[in-house]
Structure formats: structure tokens, C-alpha cells
Amino acid sequence: MKLRVLGSGAGGGFPQWNCNCPMCDGHRKGIVRASARTQSSITVSGDGENWLLFNASPDVLQQLRSFPALQPARALRDTAIRAIVLIDAQIDHTTGLYMLREHRQPHEIWCTGLVREDLTTGNPLFKVLGHYSGLDWHDIPLGGHGFEIPGIAGLHFTALPLISNAPPYSPHRDNPQPGDNIGVTITDTRSGKKLFYAPGLGRMEDHVWAAMQAADCVLVDGTLWTDDEMIRLGASKKTSRDMGHMPQSGPDGMIEWLDKLPAATRKILIHINNTNPILDEDSPQRAELTAHGIEVSFDGMDLAL
């Protein structure tokens, strides 16, 4: 299995266009050692030729240009993307579909029924795309024996419901329903290696913890460092958990859980918010992650399992 992190930032990327928090301001002034990040997305392949895109961020065109494998140039109009999985209906994970409207045939879109509902009613993105390339929707089953995606050879997928939060235009906002947000285990059917991917994770549940323990690598929610991070900065009135993201630090935080994984498990954070001090590579927070054997993903990061 080959994986490329196309975007490692949370909504708005880093630095965020209108933000002057210590991280964004410090990056612009060159006094914080941190890499710019586009909004969260990955792509995976079992053969290195046919790729599955997870989420279509508003930065998708920049991300595609950064990874030539996605443009094999075999014809006048071409792409190596065989299908797209949407793990939720958030703007930062779906708006990029507008940028891919010139496709020669309908996009193969995989998402849950609840995500499809939100992208047909509250944010009618799917209806708009119907006037362009269109799409063929495939329902993602939750749990069970999982599923395979035609054209993505050698990989098997199992989706799990997560407690996170639906977007503001969803009727399920602040009232999570199974399927609003999912995590996915990706299994290489030849090697048996597993990766668990969950960029939005608000609470650890037994079935999620079991999937993480069974994985060789976890690529999970790294949005905020503390639960009150946005409140202390005056950027929001909501805690990290209110927004559907486990903070890294503190009791029942992501670090505490990742410490319980088997020693051989590779632990990587993704979906890093622009306010998070772990963006500063010289910060004590980044040093703490390193001490716990936890990596911070970056745009262009490659993994092989």
C-alpha cells in the first residue's frame, strides 16, 4: 500500500488567510519554524497506478499538481484517480469536487447515506455537479465485512462510525448520528498490513479503539492541542470536543490513548489546526509528541505499508 498525504491541515489550512494567532503570525514573519499546510486529504493505492482520493479539499488543484502520479498523461484528458471517498460532509473535505467538474465521466463517489443527504439538501453540491460531470454514488457500509472499490486493486476497506460533528448545514449538527463521520481501516490484501484513518475523532469508542489496536499505522485527529485552545485565543466559544475533535493533551486526550497502542504501531497526527502549537517544530508541545513517539504529518508525506 502506498499513501501520500496531500493536505495535513484543518479547515482553512496553515496559515489561515485571516488569522493572526501566534502560529499564523509567526509563520508569516518567519519567527516560527513551521511548514505551510493545505487542507486535509490523502490518496492511497495498491499498485502505484490507480489511486483512491480521500476527501476533495478546497486546495485539491494545488494538491494534485504537487503529486505527478495522479496525472499519468495517457490521453488528452486523464487522471489516475479512480474514485473518491468522503469521510464527512464538511466544506473542507468536499468543496474541491467543484474544481474537478471537468471530468469526462461521472465521478465515482463513496460516502454514507447521511453525507449524501447533507450534500444534496443543506449544501446541494451533488445537485450542482449534476450539471457538469455528474457522479455515481456508492453507499459506504458501516462495519461488517467491509467493502472493495472497483479499480483499486489490492486494498480492502472497513468503515466505522465516529462520534464527531456534522457541518452547520446538517440537521444532525450537535446531535451526531452514525455515518455523519467515519474512520476507515485500509488493508493491503497481499501483505495484510492495516492503516486506520480518522482525521475527525471526537471520542474514543470501543469499536474505534479495537480498529486502532489492530492497525500497523494510525493516521488520526490532531486538530487541537488543548480542549479550550480556541476559547483561550478568542477564536471560538466551543471546546475542541464540542467541535468533534479529541485534544491531544490532557486526561482522555489523544496522547494518552496513543500511548496505549502496541510499541510497533506507527502513530501520526493529521488535520492540524492553524492555532495548534505543534506546528512549531521547536515548541515544547512538538517535543512532547516526539517523546511519546508520535509524528506530525505534513503535505507531501509518503507512507508505504
Side-chain angles (χ1 to χ4, degrees), residues 9 17 69-70 82 90 125 152-153 156 167 174 210 214 273 277 283 301 304:
W17 67 278
L70 297 180
R82 298 298 301 270
Q90 299 285 354
L125 184 152
I152 307 297
H156 183 79
D174 298 325
N273 198 58
S283 67
M301 184 180 196

Side-chain angles (χ1 to χ4, degrees), residues 77-120:
R77 299 289 175 91
D78 196 19
T79 179
I81 298 171
R82 298 298 301 270
I84 301 170
V85 170
L86 304 177
I87 63 153
D88 57 38
Q90 299 285 354
I91 282 177
D92 52 315
H93 286 155
T94 60
T95 310
L97 289 173
Y98 285 128
M99 302 300 103
L100 305 180
R101 64 190 180 276
E102 300 93 349
H103 203 31
R104 295 184 64 183
Q105 60 272 343
H107 286 289
E108 302 295 328
I109 302 291
W110 291 73
C111 65
T112 66
L114 291 182
V115 170
R116 183 193 189 197
E117 176 187 333
D118 286 342
L119 295 177
T120 305

Side-chain angles (χ1 to χ4, degrees), residues 220-222 248 254 268-270 272 278 289 294-297:
V220 292
D221 194 333
Q248 280 113 63
M254 189 64 77
I268 310 172
L269 300 177
I270 194 169
I272 317 300
I278 67 173
L289 290 181
I294 301 171
E295 302 174 60
V296 178
S297 67

Side-chain angles (χ1 to χ4, degrees), residues 89-190:
Q90 299 285 354
I91 282 177
D92 52 315
H93 286 155
T94 60
T95 310
L97 289 173
Y98 285 128
M99 302 300 103
L100 305 180
R101 64 190 180 276
E102 300 93 349
H103 203 31
R104 295 184 64 183
Q105 60 272 343
H107 286 289
E108 302 295 328
I109 302 291
W110 291 73
C111 65
T112 66
L114 291 182
V115 170
R116 183 193 189 197
E117 176 187 333
D118 286 342
L119 295 177
T120 305
T121 56
N123 176 14
L125 184 152
F126 283 3
K127 289 183 178 180
V128 174
L129 286 177
H131 296 284
Y132 296 92
S133 59
L135 56 87
D136 287 331
W137 173 66
H138 306 271
D139 186 25
I140 290 183
L142 298 178
H145 298 293
F147 59 101
E148 295 183 352
I149 295 179
I152 307 297
L155 299 181
H156 183 79
F157 306 89
T158 306
L160 300 174
L162 305 180
I163 293 180
S164 187
N165 208 346
Y169 40 81
S170 172
H172 313 134
R173 181 69 170 181
D174 298 325
N175 181 28
Q177 303 295 314
D180 284 330
N181 191 296
I182 61 172
V184 180
T185 293
I186 308 169
T187 303
D188 187 305
T189 57
R190 289 155 293 196

Side-chain angles (χ1 to χ4, degrees), residues 47-64:
D47 59 13
E49 296 183 4
N50 299 286
W51 292 81
L52 177 65
L53 181 65
F54 276 84
N55 302 322
S57 91
D59 304 310
V60 67
L61 296 184
Q62 177 183 342
Q63 293 168 346
L64 298 188

